[in-house]
Amino acid sequence: MTVEAELRGVRVRYGPVEALHGVDLAFPAGRVTLLLGRNGSGRTSALHVLAGVVRPSAGRVLWRGTEVGGLDAHRRARLGLALVPAERAVFGSLTVAENLRLAVSGPQADAVVELFPELAALLGRQAGTLSGGQQQLVAVTRALLGRPRLLLLDEPDRGLAPAVAARLHGILLDSVREGRTVVIAAQSLPRLPVADCLVHVLHRGRVVLSGEPAELGELSAMGEMGEMGETPPPIAGRSTSGGGPGALGGPPERDQAEHAHRGDHGGGEQEGR
């Protein structure tokens, strides 16, 4: 197995609170990796450490075998890493079209409507006036247009209707087939039509399980997840904290376990989780 990125013994602190307690996480190249856990589990902190938004207080961050812990977020972005946070991931004062053109311009930007027709009527609107689900779709689309080598997504289907989320999952899998690496943080196990993805389950800043999706059900049946202090994440079409019933729902609830951060990686303000 070729590893695209890796956290070794990483600890993250927000003031007096330690969010990650020396975790080891591997992210295989050309595959989907799922970081599952409840709010406060540390799944978003792990993404932010990978992206350079948060500096670890201890441990190593490796990307393609090279230590990148000293690289700022914008430098990692230039090397092919993209982070889409769960909230406030767009430039609110720009229109949707202007947000998308930050990644590409010309026919490529216009072709995005073929992927997500829901955006067609929104291109001229200021991104800050959109609902939470609409903003998330704009942010994810912008990241996909940039064709990053390593794509980090924090609850990408949060606030999306099942049909839109399913289409997004298919596009993400197409990116993996092209050789890209995708890491998704979520509270529940998405309905991704792929069986060979890797799952890391986090609980209170520690990794309690690493394996394949099927192993979650097997451990649940044997009661082992309960012994490890974690309830297996449910399988759901969208996150259990998803948006409303429309095609693009409203803004999601915030995780209050960790502090807010802002990073220069092509998005707006970040909410640490």
Side-chain angles (χ1 to χ4, degrees), residues 222-238:
M222 293 186 294
E224 293 184 20
M225 290 289 284
E227 294 176 6
M228 290 188 289
E230 178 65 85
T231 301
I235 298 176
R238 54 183 170 180

Side-chain angles (χ1 to χ4, degrees), residues 27-72:
F27 305 94
R31 290 179 64 185
V32 175
T33 300
L34 302 175
L35 293 178
L36 301 185
R38 297 171 177 172
N39 287 347
S41 64
R43 65 180 193 273
T44 296
S45 291
L47 285 187
H48 285 186
V49 169
L50 278 174
V53 177
V54 171
R55 292 291 180 92
S57 56
R60 302 182 66 197
V61 183
L62 302 177
W63 185 14
R64 290 179 270 174
T66 301
E67 172 65 54
V68 295
L71 292 181
D72 292 333

Side-chain angles (χ1 to χ4, degrees), residues 187-220:
Q187 294 188 51
S188 59
L189 191 63
R191 291 191 183 277
L192 282 167
V194 61
D196 65 345
C197 62
L198 176 64
V199 178
H200 297 302
V201 179
L202 287 86
H203 180 64
R204 296 182 180 177
R206 303 182 190 280
V207 181
V208 296
L209 170 68
S210 292
E212 297 180 355
E215 295 183 57
L216 294 179
E218 293 172 2
L219 287 173
S220 177

Side-chain angles (χ1 to χ4, degrees), residues 3-26:
V3 175
E4 177 72 18
E6 191 174 1
L7 303 184
R8 294 183 183 175
V10 165
R11 294 180 179 271
V12 170
R13 299 189 66 88
Y14 302 104
V17 178
E18 186 168 80
L20 290 178
H21 310 303
V23 299
D24 295 313
L25 291 169

Side-chain angles (χ1 to χ4, degrees), residues 48 51-53 73-77 81-85 88-89 91 142 261-270:
H48 285 186
V53 177
H74 72 277
R75 294 178 64 187
R76 298 187 204 187
L81 184 149
L83 167 67
V84 180
R88 299 192 297 275
F91 292 96
R142 185 182 65 209
H261 295 276
R262 183 178 182 87
D264 182 14
H265 55 272
E269 296 179 1
Q270 310 300 311

Side-chain angles (χ1 to χ4, degrees), residues 60-263:
R60 302 182 66 197
V61 183
L62 302 177
W63 185 14
R64 290 179 270 174
T66 301
E67 172 65 54
V68 295
L71 292 181
D72 292 333
H74 72 277
R75 294 178 64 187
R76 298 187 204 187
R78 289 174 182 170
L79 292 174
L81 184 149
L83 167 67
V84 180
E87 299 177 20
R88 299 192 297 275
V90 298
F91 292 96
S93 62
L94 301 181
T95 66
V96 170
E98 289 168 340
N99 268 274
L100 297 178
R101 290 192 185 107
L102 293 173
V104 294
S105 60
Q108 264 190 296
D110 298 333
V112 70
V113 178
E114 297 178 9
L115 298 178
F116 297 109
E118 296 82 2
L119 294 178
L122 305 176
L123 292 175
R125 287 182 55 180
Q126 282 193 329
T129 67
L130 305 180
S131 71
Q134 291 170 331
Q135 290 187 22
Q136 189 71 354
L137 189 58
V138 172
V140 172
T141 302
R142 185 182 65 209
L144 288 169
L145 287 173
R147 301 175 65 84
R149 178 187 176 107
L150 175 58
L151 178 57
L152 313 178
L153 303 158
D154 197 352
E155 299 189 84
D157 53 4
R158 198 175 183 183
L160 302 182
V164 180
R167 202 180 323 135
L168 171 60
H169 293 160
I171 293 171
L172 293 176
L173 292 180
D174 287 342
S175 296
V176 169
R177 294 186 190 102
E178 293 173 358
R180 293 175 179 78
T181 302
V182 175
V183 181
I184 301 174
Q187 294 188 51
S188 59
L189 191 63
R191 291 191 183 277
L192 282 167
V194 61
D196 65 345
C197 62
L198 176 64
V199 178
H200 297 302
V201 179
L202 287 86
H203 180 64
R204 296 182 180 177
R206 303 182 190 280
V207 181
V208 296
L209 170 68
S210 292
E212 297 180 355
E215 295 183 57
L216 294 179
E218 293 172 2
L219 287 173
S220 177
M222 293 186 294
E224 293 184 20
M225 290 289 284
E227 294 176 6
M228 290 188 289
E230 178 65 85
T231 301
I235 298 176
R238 54 183 170 180
S239 170
T240 54
S241 61
L248 294 170
E253 297 179 3
R254 292 184 183 177
D255 180 350
Q256 300 178 0
E258 301 172 7
H259 297 274
H261 295 276
R262 183 178 182 87

